[in-house]
């Protein structure tokens, strides 16, 4: 455990010494979050806002009033968790190059795969603001929309390989999970089964397993119906706190390190004490150096301030359109309860249409039976041996 802690400290020291102007300080750097209108983006923003390991947390929004409308089941707003808005319209209209905001890290957290153009524009603008660290939530196989998530990952890597006069991105970490669920966001959800599953995952999944995606010897598989959203936010916070996800011999301002991790929440009473060491180990195993490339087809027009392309950044600043997924076509772990209700309903309709009642069930009308139903005394009339009974019309 202590060896891993020393390795993590050495990583941070090398990163800070190589580029003191752009590296995130140990006291915590400022972070901007894309996708806050999703439940995952909201949970990540709340987790980072309450964290003492990061600085000011801002979230990309198209409307200032939206921040007050994003509340949890306890009616707690993002303002209460020290999250502040970064408005697209304000940056486009009022900001100049002299007032360009500064962010040390950028996070992309959404519930559906973000548009590749939005991811590329968001990261490119963040690099102009001095960002050196990026973390993105994605999906691991066998998610149904895994192809769309891979396109978003490719866009993030392409943007990270570019740079600007303000600096370059030095680390990109992609955290792949199963579909995220849980968190204090389901009290008003009309789908009682979804709300119940979310509460179960939140209550009992309090730890996680994590490994490098490229490591075929170690694999993680998500149990139950999905990964805990609060646990995913905790892992993301830990990655941001580590800042430099690699232990390569030399780390300088020209290096780009990309780490792709698979993780899953697991049943546990509490988060294990060595969770930071496990994250460090996974980051070290997954670290891959990428060569820098010139940006092609940049979204932003020269001279425009960062985060001013409303059309390109809208998917990360406004609510995403939720794709309806038929639960009956999902894997058995998800579709099983739904099919049970469907079959039970069909049987119920069949029984009611055939005229069957409790009067036709001998153990229900016989007082000597352990399963006797007292209500049948008023609703059924029977012979002495309770072999023939009929319903009484009241």
């Amino acid at each position: 455990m202590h060896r891993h802690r020393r390795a993590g400290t050495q990583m941070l020291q090398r990163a800070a010494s190589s580029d003191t102007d752009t590296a995130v300080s140990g006291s915590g750097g400022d972070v901007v979050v894309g996708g806050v209108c999703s439940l995952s983006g909201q949970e990540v923003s709340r987790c980072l806002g309450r964290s003492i390991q990061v600085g000011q947390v801002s979230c990309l929004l198209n409307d200032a009033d939206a921040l007050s409308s994003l509340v949890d089941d306890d009616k707690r707003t993002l303002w209460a968790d020290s999250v502040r808005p970064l408005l697209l319209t304000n940056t486009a209209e009022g900001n100049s190059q002299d007032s360009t905001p500064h962010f040390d890290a950028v996070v992309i957290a959404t519930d559906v795969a973000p548009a590749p153009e939005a991811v590329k524009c968001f990261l490119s603008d963040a690099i102009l603001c001095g960002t050196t660290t990026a973390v993105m939530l994605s999906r691991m196989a066998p998610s149904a929309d895994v192809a769309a998530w891979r396109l978003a990952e490719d866009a993030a890597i392409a943007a990270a390989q570019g740079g600007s006069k303000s600096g370059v991105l030095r680390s990109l970490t992609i955290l792949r999970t199963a579909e995220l669920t849980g968190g204090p966001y389901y009290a008003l959800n009309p789908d009682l089964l979804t709300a119940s599953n979310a509460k179960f995952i939140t209550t009992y999944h309090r730890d996680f397993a994590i490994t490098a995606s490229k490591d075929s010897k170690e694999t993680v598989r998500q149990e139950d119906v999905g990964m805990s959203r609060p646990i995913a936010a905790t892992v993301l916070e830990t990655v941001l706190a580590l800042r430099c996800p690699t232990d390569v011999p030399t780390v300088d301002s020209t290096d780009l390190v990309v780490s792709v991790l698979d993780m899953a929440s697991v049943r546990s009473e509490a988060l294990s004490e060595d969770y930071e060491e496990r994250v460090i180990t996974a980051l070290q195993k997954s670290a891959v150096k990428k060569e820098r490339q010139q940006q092609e087809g940049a979204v932003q027009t020269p001279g425009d301030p960062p985060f001013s392309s409303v059309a390109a950044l809208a998917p990360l600043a406004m609510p995403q359109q939720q794709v309806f997924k038929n639960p009956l076509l999902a894997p058995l772990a998800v579709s099983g309860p739904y099919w049970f209700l469907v079959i039970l309903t069909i049987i119920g309709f069949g029984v009611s249409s055939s005229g069957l009642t409790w009067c036709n069930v001998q153990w229900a009308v016989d007082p000597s039976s352990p399963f006797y139903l007292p209500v049948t005394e008023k609703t059924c009339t029977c012979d002495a041996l309770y072999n023939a009974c009929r319903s009484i019309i009241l």
Side-chain angles (χ1 to χ4, degrees):
M1 178 181 301
H2 296 295
R3 178 176 60 84
H4 289 308
R5 286 191 181 276
R6 288 194 297 270
T9 302
Q10 293 169 358
M11 288 188 287
L12 297 179
Q13 291 174 344
R14 280 199 300 272
S17 62
S18 62
D19 191 0
T20 56
D21 294 332
T22 59
V24 180
S25 63
S27 59
D30 294 341
V31 181
V32 58
V33 180
V36 70
C37 292
S38 66
L39 294 183
S40 295
Q42 187 179 158
E43 179 65 21
V44 166
S45 298
R46 292 181 185 278
C47 180
L48 297 179
R50 295 189 296 261
S51 174
I52 62 174
Q53 302 185 84
V54 299
Q56 178 61 58
V57 177
S58 301
C59 58
L60 193 66
L61 285 172
N62 193 44
D63 183 3
D65 295 334
L67 193 66
S68 299
S69 64
L70 297 173
V71 297
D72 60 13
D73 291 342
D74 297 324
K75 307 301 180 183
R76 184 180 178 88
T77 66
L78 286 169
W79 287 99
D81 289 319
S82 302
V83 179
R84 300 295 178 260
L86 174 67
L87 301 181
L88 290 177
T89 52
N90 281 1
T91 53
E93 294 172 359
N95 280 4
S96 64
Q97 292 297 330
D98 295 335
S99 60
T100 298
H102 174 81
F103 297 106
D104 301 288
V106 60
V107 172
I108 299 177
T110 58
D111 289 322
V112 299
E117 194 74 3
V119 173
K120 190 172 183 180
C121 182
F122 187 52
L123 288 182
S124 299
D125 286 354
I127 294 173
L128 289 174
C129 296
T131 295
T132 59
T133 302
V135 183
M136 175 181 175
L137 289 181
S138 185
R139 293 288 184 274
M140 60 183 180
S143 298
D145 53 351
V146 67
W149 285 101
R150 295 298 176 268
L151 291 177
E153 291 180 9
D154 293 340
I157 295 174
Q161 288 177 307
S164 70
K165 294 181 180 179
S166 303
V168 293
L169 199 68
R170 292 171 49 200
S171 68
L172 169 64
T173 305
I174 298 174
L175 300 175
R176 293 176 178 172
T177 71
E179 184 173 356
L180 295 174
T181 185
Y185 309 106
Y186 292 86
L188 301 180
N189 193 314
D191 190 339
L192 299 181
L193 186 57
T194 297
S196 177
N197 289 336
K199 183 177 180 180
F200 173 84
I201 295 296
T202 304
T203 303
Y204 294 101
H205 284 222
R206 297 181 179 271
D207 204 353
F208 64 91
I210 188 168
T211 186
S213 292
K214 66 178 182 180
D215 192 348
S216 59
K217 297 180 180 179
E218 298 181 19
T219 58
V220 295
R221 178 174 296 181
Q222 183 60 59
E223 300 176 352
D224 300 317
V225 297
M227 177 165 184
S228 169
R229 191 173 278 119
I231 291 297
T234 299
V235 176
L236 190 149
E237 176 197 359
T238 304
V239 171
L240 276 183
L242 295 173
R243 297 296 188 267
C244 184
T246 181
D247 194 15
V248 294
T250 58
V251 178
D252 56 45
S253 59
T254 63
D255 289 330
L256 168 65
V257 179
V258 177
S259 297
V260 183
L261 305 175
D262 290 343
M263 63 178 182
S265 59
V266 298
R267 296 190 189 187
S268 178
E269 295 182 356
L271 190 63
S272 60
E273 295 182 357
D274 67 338
Y275 74 95
E276 291 184 357
E277 283 70 28
R278 287 189 283 130
V279 173
I280 291 174
T281 300
L283 288 171
Q284 291 172 349
K285 290 182 178 180
S286 63
V288 175
K289 279 188 178 182
K290 295 285 186 179
E291 294 182 357
R292 298 289 179 185
Q293 296 179 358
Q294 285 287 55
Q295 289 273 40
E296 297 181 1
V299 176
Q300 189 183 41
T301 303
D304 287 345
F307 309 112
S308 61
S309 180
V310 178
L313 294 173
L316 296 175
M318 293 186 287
Q320 295 175 295
Q321 183 178 1
Q322 297 294 323
V323 179
F324 173 76
K325 298 180 181 179
N326 189 341
L328 298 178
L329 301 180
L332 186 60
V334 176
S335 63
Y338 289 96
W339 279 112
F340 175 77
L341 293 176
V342 170
I343 294 173
L344 191 64
T345 301
I346 294 175
I347 293 176
F349 276 118
V351 171
S352 61
S353 61
S354 64
L356 295 177
T357 66
W358 286 116
C359 299
N360 303 104
V361 183
Q362 185 177 14
W363 52 261
V365 297
D366 188 351
S368 62
S369 169
F371 305 105
Y372 170 66
L373 299 178
V375 70
T376 57
E377 291 184 2
K378 298 181 180 180
T379 59
C380 304
T381 178
C382 305
D383 60 14
L385 298 178
Y386 298 96
N387 290 326
C389 298
R390 59 185 179 83
S391 179
I392 300 175
I393 300 177
L394 300 177

